[in-house]
Amino acid sequence: MENQPKESDFDCCKTGFRWSGEATGVETKIGGVDTYVARPAVPSDKAIVIFTDVFGWKLINVRLLADKYAKDGGFNVYIPDCFQGESVDVSIMDVMLAPSPSFLGRAWQGLRMVANVPSMLLWMRRHKADAMMPDANKVLAALRADEKMSKVGVIGFCWGGRISILYGATDKVDAYAAVHPSLVEVPRDIEPIERRGLFLLAESDRMFKPHMLADTKAILSRRGVPTEYVEYPGTKHGFAIKCNEADQVAVKARDDAANAAIAFFCAQL
C-alpha cells in the first residue's frame, strides 16, 4: 500500500475532451440497472461489459467505443450505470480545459472549480468499488441468465479499471482488461487474480505508477496468470477514453488501444 495514489491525484481523472460522433446503441435496463447496449450486426452470445471513468455511461466517448467493439469485434457490449445516476458532470471538463477568454469568465470558472472540490471528495467516497459492484453483479448475472451470454469479458477505464481488475479474481467473468486504471491497491487487488488479463497503460500516469506496474507484473508472473501489458509512448492518464482529438499521438494510441482490446477479447471469449 506504500506510495499508492492519493485523492489529490484525482484531478487527472476529471480532465478530458468530448469526442465527435453519434452513438448507435440503445438505452435499456439489464438486471434492473440503466445500461447502454450496442449490438453486433450478426447475433452473438459473447459480451463485453464496460466500467466507465468518472463521467459515466452517458459520455459520448465511451458509447462510441462500445459501438466500435460491437461492430469490429462482434460482441454485445454493455455500459451499466454503476454510479446510480451520479456520474460526474461532464461540464467539469470544459471548466478545467477550456478557459474563458474574459477575465470575469475565468473568475467564474475558478469559483466553479473550487466549489466542486467538496462534492468531488464526497463523490469519491460514495462510489468506491464496494458501492459499485452490487449493481455490476446484477448486470453480470443477468447477462448469463437473461441475455444468454456464454462468455463475458469486462474492461474498465480509469475509475472503472479497478473494478475490472477485481472481477479478474472471480468466476463471474472469463477475461478482464484494465485501461489506465485508478486507485488500484497493489498488491492486495492483484494477488487474487485468476483470469487472463490485459493492461493498456499510459506512459505518464500518476494513478498507476511504474512501481505499481512492476509489482503487478512480478505478482502475476510468479502466480502463472497469463497477462498482457501494452504501454503507449507519449500518452497520459485518460488517453484511451477522453483524449484530445486534435492530438494525433493520443488519437493513434486511443485507436490502437481499442483494437488491442478487441483482439484480446476475440482471443479469450
Side-chain angles (χ1 to χ4, degrees):
M1 294 292 292
E2 185 179 0
N3 293 325
Q4 297 292 318
K6 306 179 293 296
E7 289 181 353
S8 59
D9 293 323
F10 183 63
D11 277 350
C12 66
C13 295
K14 295 186 292 184
T15 58
F17 295 81
R18 280 176 276 191
W19 299 339
S20 59
E22 185 174 342
T24 57
V26 298
E27 294 184 5
T28 186
K29 286 187 181 291
I30 303 293
V33 179
D34 287 332
T35 305
Y36 177 84
V37 181
R39 301 284 188 191
V42 177
S44 168
D45 64 350
K46 297 178 180 180
I48 295 174
V49 178
I50 298 178
F51 299 120
T52 71
D53 74 338
V54 300
F55 296 107
W57 73 303
K58 285 185 176 287
L59 181 68
I60 184 61
N61 306 15
V62 71
R63 294 188 173 198
L64 292 174
L65 281 177
D67 293 348
K68 179 177 176 62
Y69 294 169
K71 179 182 178 182
D72 294 353
F75 300 105
N76 299 280
V77 187
Y78 304 83
I79 311 174
D81 177 20
C82 292
F83 298 140
Q84 299 180 331
E86 288 191 349
S87 301
V88 173
D89 190 337
V90 72
S91 67
I92 289 178
M93 285 189 188
D94 302 325
V95 171
M96 299 192 75
L97 291 178
S100 171
S102 72
F103 172 79
L104 289 177
R106 291 193 297 274
W108 174 242
Q109 286 179 320
L111 289 173
R112 285 181 62 193
M113 289 176 63
V114 171
N116 278 326
V117 171
S119 61
M120 290 303 303
L121 293 176
L122 289 173
W123 186 94
M124 291 171 65
R125 286 163 173 76
R126 284 199 304 272
H127 298 293
K128 290 186 176 180
D130 58 352
M132 295 174 62
M133 292 183 78
D135 278 349
N137 286 338
K138 293 176 185 176
V139 171
L140 291 172
L143 293 187
R144 305 283 194 184
D146 303 330
E147 297 278 296
K148 307 302 181 184
M149 295 294 139
S150 66
K151 296 286 186 179
V152 178
V154 294
I155 183 168
F157 294 82
C158 306
W159 195 264
R162 183 178 182 230
I163 305 302
S164 74
I165 289 171
L166 294 175
Y167 276 114
T170 75
D171 61 1
K172 297 180 186 296
V173 306
D174 298 286
Y176 76 95
V179 189
H180 40 67
S182 299
L183 301 181
V184 181
E185 297 182 8
V186 180
R188 187 171 76 176
D189 293 343
I190 305 301
E191 286 282 2
I193 291 176
E194 299 287 347
R195 298 301 187 187
R196 290 177 178 268
L198 171 68
F199 284 76
L200 300 173
L201 304 167
E203 180 180 34
S204 174
D205 195 340
R206 289 181 294 169
M207 300 305 295
F208 199 71
K209 300 177 182 180
H211 74 274
M212 298 172 68
L213 174 58
D215 290 348
T216 295
K217 288 182 175 180
I219 291 167
L220 295 178
S221 176
R222 169 175 53 80
R223 297 188 56 250
V225 181
T227 310
E228 302 173 31
Y229 308 87
V230 185
E231 184 177 295
Y232 293 89
T235 60
K236 297 180 180 180
H237 180 86
F239 78 91
I241 191 64
K242 49 195 174 186
C243 68
N244 184 352
E245 291 188 300
D247 182 338
Q248 294 183 359
V249 171
V251 168
K252 183 179 186 304
R254 174 198 69 182
D255 294 344
D256 288 350
N259 290 330
I262 290 169
F264 172 76
F265 285 119
C266 282
Q268 302 304 328
L269 301 183

